[in-house]
Amino acid sequence: MRVTPWLFLAPGILFFVFYVIFPIFQSFQISLYRWDGLGELSTNGTFVGLDNYRELSTDRAFNISLWNNLRWLVLYLLAIPMGLFIALFLNQTVTGIRLYKSLFFFPFVISQVVVGLVFSWFYLPNEGLLNAFLGLFGAGPVNILGDPSLATYGIIAAGLWPQTAYCMILYLTGLNAVDPEQVEAARLDGAKGWKMLWYVIVPQLKPATFIAFVVTIIGALRSFDLISIMTGGGPFGQTRVLSFYMFEKALAEFGFRMGYGAAIAVVLFLIMMVFIAYFLWSMWRDERGAR
Amino acid sequence: MRSILTALAATTMLTGTAFADAHALSGELRIVSDMSNPAPRAVMEGLVADFGEMHPDLDIELEVVDREAWKTQIRNALTANPPDVINWYAANRMGPYVQAGLFEDVSDIWADIEGLDAVKGALTLDGKQWGVPYTYYQWGIYYREDIFNELGLEEPETFEQEMANCQAIIDSGRKCYAIGSKNYWTTGGWFDYLNMRTNGFDFHMELARGEVPWTDDRVRETFANWQKLVDMGAYLDDHQNYSWQEALPPMVNGEATAYLIGNFAVAPMRDAGLTDEQIDFYQFPVIADVPKGEDAPTDTFHIPAGAENKEAAREFLKFVTQADVQTEINAGDALGQLPVNASSSVDADEFLEQGFDMLSNESTGGVAQFFDRDFPAEMASVAMEGFQEFMVFPENLEDILQRLEQARERIYAN
């Protein structure tokens, strides 16, 4: 046994255990209690078993949050193909291409809070640019963030803007690593257009796609700031996702239900666990294959 | 203003009996305040400076935190290394902290001070007092006097007149009421008033205590009155997109004529260019023959149970309840609100005078705090969300009431 690697790992492991692993188990524990977050759990909390989870199963607001999370998961994945196509488009040698690349990358650099504010103004029912634009085509004014059936999609669209930029950067880096000889060989065999892209380029971009998939899934599941800025979960709670609902129940102004919030967090954690397990499994598989 | 406060404090020190043992105070006094807007911040800093001058041996440390952020920070502040004095709110909003044993019982101070009886109830839980008030403000309908004059309308006294006025306003191409319901609490004001006028103050409090189901016919009647306004298109369109500040421009531009809100909205209206000739105020009109209740949220100071210098903290609480101190800090150029101490005088300001008169003489039913302070936190959050939904989709009422009733049965059972 060599000691050196463990010494280097020790600070990381220590912090991971104390700030990640330990709180996960604490959340499991708190989710079994009714507790307002004041005082000690052991003295001020009441053990209620699985009551919090039973209540979740009949809670409509939780149901809405769950469905919205699913919408985020599915629609956020659009960032991957969009990022790929922008990357392909920008992977040219033209004068000023660096400037264009910077412009496309720009939304990822600015804070999510700013993105949220910009899109809120863009969507405003009377003064917003979107409605001014729709007006040109004679389309009626829409109140995207005020309409319970549209608001979530409006926020996802805002989130896709920076996420697409992120995926684009990943693919631009990946495109640098594409083997020119393979492209040349494919060209000699008569491949071009879609076939060239699908059978020659995309397979070589697999590592980039994997990372893009990971960051997009995680990004979709932890969506919070845009919702908080753009609608605050409204109108009447229709744009909540699990992380926001957890915050509302446990930590916000009127949130005094630590146990219930922890139960929501546990459900979110289990959903994330499905993806995390898949990511770990595929990484392990690749590592083994590379050996 | 600070020099006035200083002079005032000096005289208080000479004459006041409460400060007889003032020289004994020493050590450190840590104050955390949420008076973060420019004017309240100056008031708070003035208070600390004056109190410090009276107690030279006392080392006062003031930390001003953002008002909204404080609503979530208070929990950590009270448990980990608690300060000696903090700002908070009366009634149910202090309930969880009192029950968790995080607030100091200050009943002994109340035995010493006079003139605060009107709000004693809002600071009493389990027969003890848990803090002292320093300011409160009235709610009511602020309206554009110039537009009323143009349309030949008078301040309404009954709901019929209110609706007749509203119809005339709508016919002139305007909206009757500005409201921004993005932060749900603004809807709570409308419910408070409609319910207190339809069913009376006592019923409103029964509902707050969870003694009446939300599906009760009397609650339905309140919503029926509310629906009359919603159906006639009285409210600003798309109000669910705006905060209360963002709903002010339509009122300033004359697109909306009135605003049911607290007195804190007067300052931004004036800043936006409206003169006192253009804005005026009237009490929410009568609906049923019940004594009128009013909303007047009270802001307070408390001592955390874990405070280290409770002696100095108690002196500070006594200091801010003095009649002349309250007169000074609530003046038009300071907080611009109402002093709680009955011996204080109200600044010569159109709205403060009207509000003071209304709360002293015209609120025969009683004075409520506000929806989110009278109702338990969780009930308030669920209900105000429902109110917003009702104001956009009144046809969902039945569903909303069922949801609120389900929440009531769970929340009050604990």
Side-chain angles (χ1 to χ4, degrees), chain B residues 31-202:
Chain B
I31 302 176
V32 176
S33 171
D34 72 341
M35 296 161 75
S36 56
N37 290 328
R41 190 189 183 107
V43 166
M44 191 65 217
E45 284 165 357
L47 277 174
V48 166
D50 297 335
F51 191 66
E53 243 164 70
M54 292 159 53
H55 305 282
D57 292 339
L58 195 64
D59 182 14
I60 308 179
E61 188 191 316
L62 170 68
E63 188 190 338
V64 179
V65 293
D66 176 70
R67 195 169 169 94
E68 287 303 314
W70 179 241
K71 290 173 181 170
T72 50
Q73 280 172 15
I74 181 171
R75 272 176 253 193
N76 284 337
L78 287 176
T79 43
N81 190 18
D84 300 306
V85 174
I86 56 157
N87 276 128
W88 194 235
Y89 312 107
N92 240 311
R93 281 301 277 280
M94 67 177 190
Y97 307 107
V98 172
Q99 272 141 30
L102 294 170
F103 275 179
E104 172 88 353
D105 173 6
V106 294
S107 307
D108 53 320
I109 301 183
W110 279 80
D112 289 349
I113 48 180
E114 286 170 4
L116 298 179
D117 293 340
V119 292
K120 195 169 183 179
L123 284 147
T124 305
L125 270 180
D126 304 331
K128 300 182 189 117
Q129 286 77 48
W130 304 95
V132 297
Y134 65 96
T135 186
Y136 72 150
Y137 51 89
Q138 80 274 18
W139 270 63
I141 300 185
Y142 293 81
Y143 70 101
R144 286 285 301 270
E145 207 174 352
D146 50 343
I147 298 178
F148 266 49
N149 290 341
E150 179 194 324
L151 299 174
L153 304 175
E154 304 245 311
E155 289 187 6
E157 290 189 348
T158 67
F159 199 55
E160 283 73 37
Q161 291 169 0
E162 177 79 38
M163 287 202 295
N165 277 357
C166 185
Q167 194 56 55
I169 292 164
I170 291 172
D171 292 342
S172 76
R174 299 179 178 98
K175 290 289 179 184
C176 307
Y177 312 112
I179 180 172
S181 64
K182 185 177 177 183
N183 305 105
Y184 304 125
W185 60 264
T186 48
T187 60
W190 275 96
F191 180 80
D192 275 349
Y193 274 102
L194 286 161
N195 196 38
M196 283 194 288
R197 292 290 183 273
T198 308
N199 297 307
F201 177 83
D202 294 333

Side-chain angles (χ1 to χ4, degrees), chain A residues 187-204:
Chain A
R187 196 162 281 154
L188 285 177
D189 285 343
K192 56 184 175 185
W194 287 107
K195 282 207 157 142
M196 170 74 100
L197 176 67
W198 190 249
Y199 292 107
V200 181
I201 309 287
V202 170
Q204 293 191 63

Side-chain angles (χ1 to χ4, degrees), chain A residues 84-270:
Chain A
L84 174 62
F85 283 103
I86 296 174
L88 290 171
F89 172 71
L90 289 177
N91 193 38
Q92 308 174 36
T93 37
V94 208
T95 356
I97 194 71
R98 275 165 193 272
L99 175 69
Y100 305 142
K101 282 181 185 174
S102 317
L103 286 177
F104 275 95
F105 186 57
F106 167 72
F108 185 68
V109 181
I110 56 177
S111 145
Q112 291 266 308
V113 176
V114 177
V115 173
L117 282 175
V118 167
F119 267 83
S120 312
W121 295 328
F122 175 70
Y123 288 142
L124 272 182
N126 294 311
E127 303 86 349
L129 204 57
L130 176 68
N131 279 311
F133 183 71
L134 286 177
L136 291 181
F137 300 94
V142 286
N143 181 1
I144 297 220
L145 295 181
D147 183 334
S149 55
L150 292 178
T152 291
Y153 299 109
I155 303 173
I156 295 175
L160 278 175
W161 191 43
Q163 192 63 26
T164 302
Y166 193 7
C167 293
M168 176 204 79
I169 276 292
L170 291 171
Y171 277 120
L172 275 177
T173 326
L175 283 171
N176 279 336
V178 166
D179 186 356
E181 284 179 17
Q182 283 190 28
V183 177
E184 195 59 31
R187 196 162 281 154
L188 285 177
D189 285 343
K192 56 184 175 185
W194 287 107
K195 282 207 157 142
M196 170 74 100
L197 176 67
W198 190 249
Y199 292 107
V200 181
I201 309 287
V202 170
Q204 293 191 63
L205 289 173
K206 202 181 154 220
T209 307
F210 180 72
I211 296 294
F213 187 61
V214 172
V215 295
T216 307
I217 291 283
I218 302 282
L221 284 172
R222 46 180 259 187
S223 52
F224 177 89
D225 25 18
L226 282 177
I227 296 166
S228 175
I229 291 291
M230 293 175 74
T231 60
F236 33 93
Q238 297 292 315
T239 57
R240 284 187 184 117
V241 293
L242 290 176
S243 58
F244 191 81
Y245 191 43
M246 183 263 288
F247 166 79
E248 267 194 322
K249 284 288 169 188
L251 304 164
E253 192 180 343
F254 299 114
F256 281 100
R257 302 188 70 195
M258 286 291 165
Y260 199 60
I264 300 168
V266 166
V267 172
L268 181 58
F269 172 75
L270 293 178

Side-chain angles (χ1 to χ4, degrees), chain B residues 197-198 286-291:
Chain B
R197 292 290 183 273
T198 308
V286 172
I287 297 180
D289 183 23
V290 289

Side-chain angles (χ1 to χ4, degrees), chain B residues 104-365:
Chain B
E104 172 88 353
D105 173 6
V106 294
S107 307
D108 53 320
I109 301 183
W110 279 80
D112 289 349
I113 48 180
E114 286 170 4
L116 298 179
D117 293 340
V119 292
K120 195 169 183 179
L123 284 147
T124 305
L125 270 180
D126 304 331
K128 300 182 189 117
Q129 286 77 48
W130 304 95
V132 297
Y134 65 96
T135 186
Y136 72 150
Y137 51 89
Q138 80 274 18
W139 270 63
I141 300 185
Y142 293 81
Y143 70 101
R144 286 285 301 270
E145 207 174 352
D146 50 343
I147 298 178
F148 266 49
N149 290 341
E150 179 194 324
L151 299 174
L153 304 175
E154 304 245 311
E155 289 187 6
E157 290 189 348
T158 67
F159 199 55
E160 283 73 37
Q161 291 169 0
E162 177 79 38
M163 287 202 295
N165 277 357
C166 185
Q167 194 56 55
I169 292 164
I170 291 172
D171 292 342
S172 76
R174 299 179 178 98
K175 290 289 179 184
C176 307
Y177 312 112
I179 180 172
S181 64
K182 185 177 177 183
N183 305 105
Y184 304 125
W185 60 264
T186 48
T187 60
W190 275 96
F191 180 80
D192 275 349
Y193 274 102
L194 286 161
N195 196 38
M196 283 194 288
R197 292 290 183 273
T198 308
N199 297 307
F201 177 83
D202 294 333
F203 175 81
H204 190 64
M205 288 298 139
E206 279 167 39
L207 191 64
R209 288 191 298 269
E211 292 162 12
V212 186
W214 279 89
T215 44
D216 191 284
D217 280 341
R218 289 168 290 179
V219 178
R220 285 177 199 278
E221 207 187 323
T222 300
F223 279 100
N225 285 327
W226 200 345
Q227 186 156 2
K228 288 178 196 162
L229 297 175
V230 175
D231 285 348
M232 66 196 287
Y235 296 100
L236 199 63
D237 287 331
D238 302 319
H239 55 80
Q240 69 268 39
N241 290 57
Y242 307 119
S243 66
W244 74 265
Q245 292 100 329
E246 286 167 335
L248 279 171
M251 167 122 173
V252 175
N253 303 336
E255 293 157 32
T257 317
Y259 207 146
L260 174 68
I261 195 108
N263 197 55
F264 54 81
V266 172
M269 283 179 197
R270 284 175 178 156
D271 289 345
L274 291 178
T275 63
D276 284 9
E277 281 74 52
Q278 284 176 298
I279 36 178
D280 201 353
F281 165 86
Y282 64 85
Q283 188 174 14
F284 200 92
V286 172
I287 297 180
D289 183 23
V290 289
K292 283 187 262 189
E294 288 296 321
D295 267 344
T298 308
D299 291 356
T300 52
F301 279 107
H302 303 264
I303 305 176
E308 296 197 339
N309 197 346
K310 288 183 184 168
E311 192 197 347
R314 282 195 151 79
E315 285 304 322
F316 185 78
L317 260 56
K318 281 185 203 165
F319 172 67
V320 297
T321 48
Q322 305 278 309
D324 19 15
V325 173
Q326 293 218 341
T327 303
E328 203 55 47
I329 63 176
N330 284 294
D333 59 352
L335 287 179
Q337 297 183 156
L338 297 170
V340 186
N341 196 312
S343 318
S344 305
S345 45
V346 180
D347 210 38
D349 171 288
E350 179 187 353
F351 299 100
L352 293 182
E353 281 167 349
Q354 285 192 58
F356 189 73
D357 176 57
M358 177 178 86
L359 292 174
S360 315
N361 307 318
E362 296 295 326
S363 61
T364 44

